Amino acid sequence: MSQQIPDALKNLSWELPRNFLGLEGDDASWEKAGVVILPIPYESTVSYQGGTKMGPDAIIQASRFIELYDQELDGEPGVEIGVCTLPSLHLTSAGPEHAIRELREAMDTVLEAAGDRLVIGLGGEHSITSAPVLAHAARLGEGRRLTILQFDAHGDLRPEYEGSRWSHAAVIAQCIDQADVVQVGIRAITADERALIRSRPGNITTIFAEEMWADDAWVDRAFDALGDDVFITFDVDYFDPSLMPATGTPEPGGPAWYPTLKLLRRVFTEKNVVGADVVELAPMGGNAAPDFVVAKLVYKMIGYHAGGRRGG
Amino acid sequence: MSQQIPDALKNLSWELPRNFLGLEGDDASWEKAGVVILPIPYESTVSYQGGTKMGPDAIIQASRFIELYDQELDGEPGVEIGVCTLPSLHLTSAGPEHAIRELREAMDTVLEAAGDRLVIGLGGEHSITSAPVLAHAARLGEGRRLTILQFDAHGDLRPEYEGSRWSHAAVIAQCIDQADVVQVGIRAITADERALIRSRPGNITTIFAEEMWADDAWVDRAFDALGDDVFITFDVDYFDPSLMPATGTPEPGGPAWYPTLKLLRRVFTEKNVVGADVVELAPMGGNAAPDFVVAKLVYKMIGYHAGGRRGG
Amino acid sequence: MSQQIPDALKNLSWELPRNFLGLEGDDASWEKAGVVILPIPYESTVSYQGGTKMGPDAIIQASRFIELYDQELDGEPGVEIGVCTLPSLHLTSAGPEHAIRELREAMDTVLEAAGDRLVIGLGGEHSITSAPVLAHAARLGEGRRLTILQFDAHGDLRPEYEGSRWSHAAVIAQCIDQADVVQVGIRAITADERALIRSRPGNITTIFAEEMWADDAWVDRAFDALGDDVFITFDVDYFDPSLMPATGTPEPGGPAWYPTLKLLRRVFTEKNVVGADVVELAPMGGNAAPDFVVAKLVYKMIGYHAGGRRGG
Amino acid sequence: MSQQIPDALKNLSWELPRNFLGLEGDDASWEKAGVVILPIPYESTVSYQGGTKMGPDAIIQASRFIELYDQELDGEPGVEIGVCTLPSLHLTSAGPEHAIRELREAMDTVLEAAGDRLVIGLGGEHSITSAPVLAHAARLGEGRRLTILQFDAHGDLRPEYEGSRWSHAAVIAQCIDQADVVQVGIRAITADERALIRSRPGNITTIFAEEMWADDAWVDRAFDALGDDVFITFDVDYFDPSLMPATGTPEPGGPAWYPTLKLLRRVFTEKNVVGADVVELAPMGGNAAPDFVVAKLVYKMIGYHAGGRRGG
Amino acid sequence: MSQQIPDALKNLSWELPRNFLGLEGDDASWEKAGVVILPIPYESTVSYQGGTKMGPDAIIQASRFIELYDQELDGEPGVEIGVCTLPSLHLTSAGPEHAIRELREAMDTVLEAAGDRLVIGLGGEHSITSAPVLAHAARLGEGRRLTILQFDAHGDLRPEYEGSRWSHAAVIAQCIDQADVVQVGIRAITADERALIRSRPGNITTIFAEEMWADDAWVDRAFDALGDDVFITFDVDYFDPSLMPATGTPEPGGPAWYPTLKLLRRVFTEKNVVGADVVELAPMGGNAAPDFVVAKLVYKMIGYHAGGRRGG
Amino acid sequence: MSQQIPDALKNLSWELPRNFLGLEGDDASWEKAGVVILPIPYESTVSYQGGTKMGPDAIIQASRFIELYDQELDGEPGVEIGVCTLPSLHLTSAGPEHAIRELREAMDTVLEAAGDRLVIGLGGEHSITSAPVLAHAARLGEGRRLTILQFDAHGDLRPEYEGSRWSHAAVIAQCIDQADVVQVGIRAITADERALIRSRPGNITTIFAEEMWADDAWVDRAFDALGDDVFITFDVDYFDPSLMPATGTPEPGGPAWYPTLKLLRRVFTEKNVVGADVVELAPMGGNAAPDFVVAKLVYKMIGYHAGGRRGG
C-alpha cells in the first residue's frame, strides 16, 4: 500500500512507509500479505477522558520503530508473511447503532476480500468488536461455534450502557448468543455481570485477575476453555496500569507481559484464530511507551500466527 | 445548590462551593438566582482531538478564582443577581439525534422552570445549540422572530456532516428556518456555506474575521443586523488561537477581547437576550489560561445582563 | 450530600454526583454512611514539584468510574455501608503550624460528629496525618495505645524539615510518643532516622522495601507488630513508581498491588481500624491511571472495612 | 498519491488521505498538481528542546481539517490547482554537511521533475533552506538574481554555529553570495550579524520587528526591496510567541497574522515566486493550535500562488 | 559565579554556565557586575495550580538562549554592565510570616553587599515583594519616598488573604504606608480594593487594563505618577494570557509587549530605579515560550538600566 | 564545584548546589571526590521523538532529592567517597563523527586527570559510549582486556545506522574488537545482529530479557561471563517500560529493579569497574518518576563502588 512516487523521484531517500512495521514494497502489498491491519479509529460512547480515536495511528507510528527480527521466533515474521495496512475506516457520526451496522457491513466485505488473510482490527473503542465477531461467527461452517478470547479488565457484559446497546461496556453481551467467550484479566464488573457469568457457565468463562498473579496456572485453564475457532479481542486495559496507563478506565492489579504471550502463542499455535482486534489504546501526549507496548503486542500476534501457519 | 453539611460540621472552614464563581449560600440558590448555569458536557461528533466534554468543569473550576467585583461595572454582579449552577446534564450515548432530542426536551423543562432567569449553557460541542435556540424560538410570542448572535470561526451551516444533521458543523443550519442569524468572526466555511449565505441575505448575516481586525466598525454592523430578541451562541474558536488554543479546530486571524466585549455589552443593554451558551472549550492539560478566559467571558455576560436588568 | 435540584428539574438526566463513587441519594448521605470521606487538599511544605493539593479531587473524580461491585468481596460495599463525601477542608495559609492546629481542631469536631463512621482523609501532603493520629490517640480509652500502620517509601521520622516540625518529612516523628508505628515499604530514610528506628524497637517497626519483593512473608511480620487499634496512613509513594509515578519523590523498588491488599484485608478484618488517610497523590496532567489506582485502593479499604463490620 | 486499496474494498468509507489538505483522487496526483508539498523532517543541530522533526507530520495532519474554501479568494484553491504531497525525505544521520549535500542533490532532482509546479518544503529545522535556495539560484537564467524573502525572528547570518556552517543559525549566510535577502520580523541577532547587515546594504535588507508593530508601512518597504524572482523561507518563530509558541527559541514582539498575509499576497501576485519553505515548527504535546496556524499559512500561500497564476 | 573546573580540564568544551544569559568568566562575576540576579523560588500561599517555585530556573534556562546583542540599544548590555547570578535563596517552610521575615533580613544583607549594583529578584510568588520594597524604602535617605511601579493584573491590596497578611494577594497592601504605588494593567480587584484605591488617591494610582488597549496614552499617565525613586515589581500575569499563559490566575484583556517596553525604557532612563523583581511565572510543561518572554523582559530591563547608567 | 558566593553573603540560606546529590562544600570537590559525574548531553542521531539531551539535567535535578543515607549499605556513600559533578560537555554540531572524536579526546583528558576516581558519564544518547570504552581499553595494561557490561533492550551491534557508524544503534559494534561485551536485557535486535552474536561466542554474550523474568539465575550467568576489568554502560531502556517509559524506543518485557541491583552489587564488589555511563533517558514533561529511578540507579552504583573500595 505504498504511496505512488513519480518515477523520476523513486531513487531519493524516502522515509519508511506509513504502514504497520514500515514495510516497503511487496512486503506490505495486499497480494502478498498473510495479515491485514485494519485501523478503526471509532470513538463515540467514551468513558471519562477519551482519546481512543487516536489509537490506530499511534500503534502504527510506534510499529515503524520495532525490529522486524523476533528473537523468540528467530525470524522476521512481518516480512515472511507480509502485512498489508489498510487506510482507516471512517464510520458515520450518526450514532453507535448506525456506525456499528456500517462496520458490520464493512467487515463482511473485508473478510470476503481477505480470504485466508488474518485481519487484525485496531481500535478505537471496544464497541467495534461485535462487528467482526458476528461476521466471523456467521462465516464459520455449520456446527462450528466461535469462542471469543477476551483480554480485558472489564466484563463488557452489560445489556446496555448509557442508553445504548452499542456501547463498549455492552459489546460482549451482544455476542454471547452467537459465540462463547473466555475472559481473562477481569477485575471490574457489575453485580449483574457477575450473575450473568454465573448463569451461563458453558457460555462465559471468566478468569479474574486476582487468580492470575500468583502463578501461570491460569494459562492452561484459559486455553482449555476455548473451542477450536477463536476470535481474539484484546482490550489494552487488560494489562496492569503500570504497563498500560494509556486507556480510559485503568484498573490496578492487571496481568503482566510474559504470561500473556504464553497464552497467545499457545492459542495461535494450537487453535484456529479466525481474527483479532486490539482496542482502547488512548495515546498519551508525551508518553509513547504504551504505543510501543501495543505495537509489539500486535507484532507478537503476527509472529505467532506466522509461526502457526508454518507449523511453528 | 450547596452541599448538605451536617450541622455539627457547619462551622468548619470548607472550600468554596463547586459552582460558577464559587458562590456561597443564598447567592447560588435557585430561588434568588437571576442567572442559571447549565453544564452540558456533550461530546459525540468530535473533530480531531476532542475534549469538549471536559469544558464545563474547567470553566466552573476557573470561575471560582475570578474576582466577584467587576471594575468596568463597578459592582459584584454575580452576587447582585445570583447565579445558580445546575449539575451537568447527562445525555444518552445512543447517538446525536437521540441526544439532541433529549436535550431539547430538557431545555423545554428548564426554560419553563427558569421563568425570568437567564439560562446560560456551557458546552460541550456546538451541536447542543439547536436545542435551546429552537426551544426559545418556540417560546417567543406570535410575530417575534429570534436572532442568533453567533460568535464563531466556522459557519456551522452545512446541511449535514459525517452522516449526521446533528453535527456541530451543521448546527446553525438546523435553526435558520426558525430564526435569523448574525455571525461574527467567521473565517472557515465551505463553498456551499458561502453560497447559502449569499442566497439568504436577510436571514444570514456574516461578518468575516478579516473585516474585523482593522477597526471596530464591525461592532455596529453586527448590532444593526440583530432583531429585538437574541440568543447568543459563543463558540470559543471565535477568538484568535493565541488567546484560545483550547478548541478542536483553531483558526488564525480571530478577533480580540475588548471589541468582543463592546458588542456583548451593547447587545445585553439594548436587546432582549433570551438565552446564551458558550461551547467548544476543550481544556488543555497544563494550560488553564483558556479556561480562565472563558470563565471571565461568561462572567462578563452575566455582568452585562445584570446591568441591563437594572438599566445599566 | 447531593446537590439541591429544584423539584421541577428532578426528573432530568443528571450526571452522577461529585462524591466518592458517584453515589446517589441516600447511599451518600451522612445519616446512612458507615464511611466518611474527608478531602484535605493541603499543600504547603512541598518537595520538588508539588501538586498534592489537586489529589483529593482527582481521587474523587476517578472513583466515579469505579464499579461498585467488588468481585473479591462479591458485593457492592459502597452501597451496603454508605459513603458520605464531605466538601474539602480549607486550611489557613498562615503556615504549617497554624494549619495543622486548625486541622487538629477540625478532626476533633469531625470525629465527634462521625461516631461509629470510619473517617478516611484524602490528602494533600503527608503533614496532615499528625492531626487525625493524635485526635484518635486522644480518643482511645485508658490503657489502649494506637498503632500507626504507615505505608510509605520514606520514614517521615525527622525531628523537623526545612525549618518546620510540621513538614511531611517529620510527620510521623510528631506522633511516636502518643502511638507506635509499623512502617512498610520504606526505602528512603536519613541516617538519623535509621538511628531513631534502632533506638526505639518496640515503638517503631520498619519493614524495608528490599525485604518485601522476594515473597510475602513480610505481610505476617507487619501484621504481628500491630496493636489492637490501628490508624492507617497510606502515602502513595509506597507503591513502586511504575504503578505510582504521580507523587513528589518517587523511589524505585516499591511494593506491588496484591500483597498490599493482603495486608490491608487482614488488618481490617482482625484489628480495630479507627481511621485512615491516603496522601501525597500529585495528579499528572494527561495520565489519570494513578488516580484510578488510588481511588480503587480507597474503595478496597472501604470494602474490607464493610466486610469486617459484617464479620467478613 | 493516494494509497492503493484493493478494488473489492474501494467502496468502503475510508478516512481522508494523509496528504496536505486530505485531498482525494486526482486533486492530489502528481500529474495534476500545481503545487508539491515536500516534507523534510530534518533535525540535527537543534537549539534547546528540539522537536522540529515532528513538524511536517503535524502540519499535514492539521491541514486535513482546514476548509478547502477560502473566502478571501472566494474559491477552493487546493482543488483548483492540485496539491501533491510527497513522502518525507529521509536525510543521512552522518552529520549536517552530509545531510545538506544530500538534500541539495535531492532538490535538484525534485525541481527538475517538478517543472512548473511550485515546490513548498516543510521543515524540519531552518538549516534545510540553503539547499532549495542554492538549487533555485542555480536554475535561474543568466542575469537573474534570486531574492530570499525571509520571515524570521533571527538573522541566521552567522558564519557558523557550534562548529558547523550547516547550522540553522548560519543558513542564510550560506546563501548571500548567490542571492539577496530581505528579512522581516527580525528581533534577535548578534553584533556580528548587525555589522554584516550594515556592511551589505544592497544584499541584505533587514526590517526589525520593532518597526513593524505600529502600522503596516513595512509591508511596502519589504516589497520594494525584492527582486523579480523570490524564494520565500518562513521560519515560524517570525510570529509572536502568543500565536506561535511551538518553536525552539520564541522571541516576544513578533508580527501578527493579517499584515503578514498582506505581504505574502502581494509577493505571490506581483513577483515570480520560484519556491518556498516553512520551517521550525516544533509541535507541542496537547496544543495543536500552532499546527493549525502553520497549515493555514501554507494554504494561504497556495491560494495566493493559485490566484497569481490565474491573474488573481 | 562560574563553576570551579580543575585546571587540567579547563580547555575542554563546556556548556555555557548556568547563570542569567549564560555569561562566561568575568562578565558574570560579582566584582564586575552592575546587575545582580537573585532567584527566590518561594511558593507557599499558592492560588490554584501553583508552580511559581520553578520560575527562576526556567527564566535562567531560557536566558541562556537569548542573544546578548540588543538591536534596539545597539549593544550587548549584559556584557557591558556585567550580570552576576546568585544561587537561589532557600526560605523556611515554617510559614509565610517566618519566610518573609527571613527574606527581609536576607535582602538587607544583599543590598548592603550589592552597593551600586541593581538587584533583580526572580520569583516565586508575589508575596516576596514586600521584603525588597521595605528594605529599599528603609535605605532611601531622609525625605525621599519610594514609588512602587507595579505591573500586574491584580491589585494585591487586600489586608490579608486566606488567613495570612503575607499572601501574594496582600503584598502591596503591606507596603503602602512606606511607599506609594503606581499600578498598571490591573483588571481583577475586589470591591474593598477598589474602595481603598479611591480613598488614597495620592498614595495609590491605578491604571486599569481596559484603559490601555486603545492607545498608549497610559504610558505618560503612569510615568507622571511616579516619584523619583522607583522599585519595579513585575507580576507576569500583567501580560495578556495569549502572551503569558504560564501563571496562576491569568486574566484576559492584558497589555502587550511594546507599550510595556516603552514605559520601562522611560522609567529606567529618567528615574532612579533602586531595584526590581519579576514574579509569578509558573512554567508549563512543554511550552517554554513564556519562559523566553520573561527572560527577554528581564534582559530589556538590564539593557535599559545599563543604557540609563551611561546616559542612554 | 560550588558556586562562588561573595563572603558577605555566605551566611544566607542558599538552596542545595546544582550537583549530583546536591552535595555541599568539600563533599563535592574535585580534590576529595572518589567519583566524578560527567554530563554529556549529546543528541544527534535520534530515533523517534528524542529528548535525551535533557537527560543529564533531569538526573542531577532528581538526585538532589535523594536521601544520602542508603539503608542497604547502612551509610552515606556519597558523602563518604565524595562526588564531584563537572559541567556538561558541549560537543560540536558538525556531525556524529566529529562529535565522538571530540568526546574521545575529552575522555582521554578527563581520565588522565581523574586518576583513581570513577568517572560516570550521563547521556545523552548511547552513541557516546564508544568514547569512554575505547579510552579505557587503551589505558588498560598489556594483556588485560576490557569487558563491557551492557544493560540494554537493544543490541546496538549494527555496523552502521542511517548512514553513520557513530549512531547509538551501532555503538557497541564499534567496540567489540577492543573489548568483549556481556549484554543483559536484550529484546530487540536485527537478524544481522543475531548472526553476529552467534558468530562471536566468546566476544559477545547476550542474555535475552525473556530468559530473565522467571528467576534470577541469569545474574550468575552474566557475572560469570565477565572478565576482570569492566566498563558498565546502562541504557535505561533496559528496564521495563512500566518503570522506564522515558526513553526513545521502549520495549515491553524488560527486567525489574532488584535483580538488576543484585548484579550491579556483585560486579562492583568482585570486579574492577573502570568506568560507567548511564544513557538514553529522555525526560518526560510532567512525569519525573523516571528521573528519580535513574538518579537512584546512579547512586546505587556509587554506593556499591564506595563499598567495594572499602571492602564492602
Side-chain angles (χ1 to χ4, degrees), chain B residues 112-187:
Chain B
E112 183 62 31
D116 281 345
R117 298 171 182 90
L118 180 75
V119 178
I120 302 180
L122 302 183
E125 54 171 74
H126 210 162
S127 53
I128 64 171
T129 295
S130 64
V133 163
L134 297 181
H136 280 292
R139 294 173 66 86
L140 274 186
E142 190 72 29
R144 293 166 67 189
R145 184 166 173 88
L146 190 65
T147 309
I148 305 165
L149 173 55
Q150 176 193 1
F151 294 82
D152 209 329
H154 308 86
D156 293 351
L157 288 168
R158 300 175 199 232
E160 67 163 47
Y161 186 64
E162 299 192 342
S164 172
R165 291 173 54 209
W166 313 100
S167 164
H168 60 95
V171 64
I172 300 301
Q174 306 310 309
C175 305
I176 53 176
D177 288 337
Q178 286 82 358
D180 299 322
V181 59
V182 176
Q183 309 181 305
V184 295
I186 304 302
R187 52 203 187 276

Side-chain angles (χ1 to χ4, degrees), chain D residues 21-79:
Chain D
L21 298 174
L23 295 176
E24 298 190 289
D26 204 36
D27 295 338
S29 70
W30 176 263
E31 289 69 27
K32 171 177 170 182
V35 173
V36 173
I37 298 290
L38 177 64
I40 312 168
Y42 178 70
E43 179 179 4
S44 167
T45 62
V46 288
S47 291
Y48 206 32
Q49 295 183 320
T52 60
K53 183 177 175 173
M54 320 297 277
D57 263 16
I59 298 168
I60 291 169
Q61 178 65 356
S63 78
R64 298 164 76 235
F65 295 86
I66 285 184
E67 294 296 350
L68 292 174
Y69 178 79
D70 181 320
Q71 79 265 17
E72 182 193 1
L73 303 171
D74 199 7
E76 296 188 340
V79 173

